[in-house]
Amino acid sequence: MQGELTAMAGWASQCGARILVILEGRDTAGKTGAIHAISQKLNPRQVRTAALPAPTEREKTQWYFQRYVPHLPAGGEIVLFDRSWYNRAGVEKVMGFATDAQVEAFLDAAPKFEKLLVEDGLLLFKYWLTCDQEEQEERLAERHEDPAKQWKISPIDVAARGKYRDYTKAREAMLEATHSKHAPWTLVDFNDQRRGRLTLVRDLLDRLPVRPVEQKVPALPPLDEPLAKEHFGVIKPLKPYPAP
C-alpha cells in the first residue's frame, strides 16, 4: 500500500488533483498515526497536515469556515486535516464552546459548503475513527505515564473523559446531518490501531480514481572525476556521538 500511495501521489501531481482527507474521531483513537501512515513515504512539499489550534478572538468573529479555507489543497496537493470544521459538531458542542444555535447553523451549512468544494473538483474524504471507552481509557493512562506522550493530553481531553456517551450522541447527530451523497462519511474501527490504519488506507486508495502515470526519474550518469571526501576549512563538524 505504501507503493500505491506513492503512485497515487505521482498521479495527483501530474493531473493536478486536489485531495482533502478529513480525520475525526475519539480522543486517542489514532488520528495522528493514520496521518503518518498516509504521509510518511510521500513528498512533504506535496503532502501536508493541517492541525489548527483553538481559534483566536479575531477568528471567532469570522465566518466559521473562513480559517479552514486557506489550508485547502491546490492542484497536485494532498492535505490531511487532523480534526477540521467538524470541531463545531463535536468538541465545541459537547464541551459547551458553541451554542445550540451555532451547532444547528453549522450542521445546515456544512453539506452546502462541502458541495461547493466537491463541485469545484476537490476530492473530499471524511473518516471518523472509533474506539471503545475501555480502550480509550487504557490509551489515556499510557499517555499519562509515558513522558514521551504526555504532551498529547490536554485539559480538554481530561474534561471529556466522562462524556463518552455525549460524544456518541453528538456524532450521530452530525452523521445524520452531514453524511451526504457528495461527501459521505466513513467510520473505521480503531480499537486495533494497526488494523485500523490498514483499513483506512486501503479504503482511501480504492476510492481514488488513480490512473497509471509514467514516473520520470532523472538518469544518473557516471561522474567525470574520482569520488571526493568532505573537506573542512573554517568550521569543523561535531565529534560523532560515542558508539554504544
Side-chain angles (χ1 to χ4, degrees):
M1 282 191 277
Q2 291 290 359
E4 290 183 63
L5 284 167
T6 301
M8 178 273 291
W11 162 82
S13 179
Q14 287 198 20
C15 73
R18 293 174 289 152
I19 301 172
L20 177 63
V21 183
I22 289 176
L23 291 109
E24 294 282 348
R26 302 281 187 187
D27 292 335
T28 78
K31 294 179 288 296
T32 302
I35 288 171
H36 182 64
I38 296 170
S39 64
Q40 61 178 319
K41 300 294 185 180
L42 303 184
N43 185 345
R45 296 185 181 89
Q46 179 189 14
V47 183
R48 55 188 168 84
T49 300
L52 275 61
T56 64
E57 291 303 314
R58 180 177 183 273
E59 288 172 333
K60 290 178 182 178
T61 69
Q62 296 174 344
W63 174 50
Y64 180 72
F65 297 95
Q66 185 169 337
R67 75 189 192 112
Y68 295 98
V69 171
H71 300 276
L72 296 176
E77 293 181 346
I78 303 166
V79 176
L80 309 169
F81 268 25
D82 186 350
R83 297 197 183 277
S84 66
W85 45 80
Y86 282 100
N87 276 340
R88 174 132 296 180
V91 62
E92 291 186 24
K93 173 180 173 60
V94 175
M95 302 307 295
F97 300 143
T99 66
D100 290 342
Q102 288 175 321
V103 174
E104 288 302 315
F106 167 79
L107 293 176
D108 178 67
K112 300 172 183 175
F113 173 64
E114 291 169 355
K115 194 169 192 293
L116 290 172
L117 298 179
V118 173
E119 288 181 342
D120 194 55
L122 183 138
L123 299 175
L124 174 61
F125 303 91
K126 303 188 301 188
Y127 290 98
W128 210 94
L129 282 50
T130 76
C131 71
D132 297 333
Q133 191 172 20
E134 180 179 2
E135 185 66 31
Q136 184 183 60
E137 282 293 295
E138 290 180 5
R139 294 173 188 175
L140 283 170
E142 179 187 1
R143 290 181 179 184
H144 189 266
E145 298 300 321
D146 186 348
K149 295 183 178 181
Q150 289 173 350
W151 64 269
K152 293 184 176 184
I153 300 181
S154 71
I156 297 298
D157 295 334
V158 176
R161 285 181 60 217
K163 297 182 180 293
Y164 185 92
R165 290 173 177 79
D166 293 334
Y167 273 97
T168 300
K169 185 178 178 181
R171 180 196 65 203
E172 293 303 298
M174 179 198 73
L175 293 177
E176 184 175 3
T178 64
H179 178 61
S180 61
K181 183 177 180 180
H182 59 270
W185 278 99
T186 301
L187 271 60
V188 186
D189 184 345
F190 262 68
N191 281 297
D192 180 331
Q193 290 184 324
R194 182 176 184 275
R195 187 178 295 271
R197 291 192 293 269
L198 292 170
T199 302
L200 190 154
V201 171
R202 182 70 269 161
D203 180 80
L204 176 64
L205 288 168
D206 289 344
R207 291 165 62 191
L208 280 163
V210 178
R211 300 289 183 271
V213 296
E214 182 181 354
Q215 298 290 339
K216 296 180 180 179
V217 181
L220 292 176
L223 295 174
D224 296 331
E225 299 178 354
L227 299 179
K229 292 184 177 293
E230 281 276 24
H231 174 75
F232 308 100
V234 178
I235 300 176
K236 306 295 184 183
L238 291 171
K239 292 182 179 179
Y241 190 81

